[in-house]
Amino acid sequence: MSRIGNNPVAIPEGVTVEVSDNVVTVKGKLGELTQEYSGVSIKIEDGQVLVARPSDSKEHKAKHGLYRALVRNMVDGVSKGWTKELELVGVGYRASNQGQKLDLALGFSHNIVMNLAPEVKVETTSEKGKNPIIKLTSHDKQLVGQIAAKIRSFRKPEPYKGKGIKFVGEQLRRKAGKSA
């Protein structure tokens, strides 16, 4: 039994959910998201979204929890939004943005300039004595996560000094250096 799939998704004020032949559309104050689905049935009752599966086969059980989680992320995204924060750890690592262009100085011979999707709002802060922070905000959780992972992949944190781009609050596995 899928415990996640059985939980209903509450629809908050100002959010509308529409279900039409294998497509769920969620509209809210922050935007609109659509998701195709298959293998489950989705219906709206009493201000809640209910996901049901036709049988207990392995495929239907997996999709039951998956689509319930996707609908929940869409509802939360259009009502509250999603945020990811990345921290640049290292001497001379800098980040700045001009509109949707993110400019990263990560110790390579050239700066990395990245054009971001218009749905994602980017904000960079750099205070003296603290590591620069990149803040990504959007109504689409998958898009924010994908862009954050792409930025992190430019310079992953290394295990000896911890230099690189890491998520704020991420615990790194550190290693001891050479023992003299």
Side-chain angles (χ1 to χ4, degrees):
M1 230 167 113
S2 171
R3 294 184 183 147
I4 292 173
N6 289 332
N7 295 338
V9 179
I11 303 172
E13 290 286 319
V15 175
T16 59
V17 179
E18 295 171 17
V19 181
S20 62
D21 49 275
N22 294 349
V23 176
V24 177
T25 306
V26 181
K27 294 178 188 162
K29 64 180 183 200
L30 296 178
E32 179 181 339
L33 293 170
T34 59
Q35 175 68 49
E36 291 184 19
Y37 67 92
S38 65
V40 294
S41 64
I42 298 177
K43 52 185 182 277
I44 301 161
E45 289 179 8
D46 307 330
Q48 294 180 327
V49 180
L50 299 172
V51 181
R53 63 177 182 249
S55 73
D56 281 347
S57 71
K58 197 168 183 176
E59 181 186 356
H60 289 149
K61 282 182 176 182
K63 287 184 175 181
H64 190 208
L66 167 75
Y67 287 119
R68 189 266 178 199
L70 290 176
V71 170
R72 166 82 191 272
N73 289 341
M74 290 162 62
V75 168
D76 286 354
V78 296
S79 59
K80 296 181 275 203
W82 296 100
T83 303
K84 287 264 189 199
E85 290 187 342
L86 296 139
E87 184 179 4
L88 279 68
V89 181
V91 177
Y93 289 6
R94 289 187 309 278
S96 61
N97 70 305
Q98 295 85 32
Q100 291 300 98
K101 274 193 176 158
L102 181 64
D103 189 12
L104 299 168
L106 300 174
F108 298 119
S109 60
H110 291 64
N111 287 2
I112 297 170
V113 179
M114 187 174 177
N115 291 318
L116 300 176
E119 299 92 35
V120 178
K121 305 278 179 280
V122 64
E123 213 178 295
T124 55
T125 57
S126 49
E127 298 174 27
K128 194 166 174 68
K130 291 188 178 173
N131 294 328
I133 290 179
I134 303 166
K135 187 175 181 181
L136 302 168
T137 310
S138 178
H139 61 279
D140 191 346
K141 185 177 186 179
Q142 293 178 11
L143 186 63
V144 169
Q146 185 178 1
I147 291 173
K150 177 74 174 162
I151 293 170
R152 185 179 185 271
S153 73
F154 292 136
R155 185 74 94 174
K156 285 189 178 164
E158 52 95 17
Y160 298 101
K161 288 186 176 178
K163 288 171 54 172
I165 302 173
K166 68 181 189 96
F167 293 110
V168 171
E170 180 183 4
Q171 295 292 317
L172 300 176
R173 259 188 68 212
R174 299 297 293 268
K175 290 183 179 178
K178 292 189 289 187
S179 53

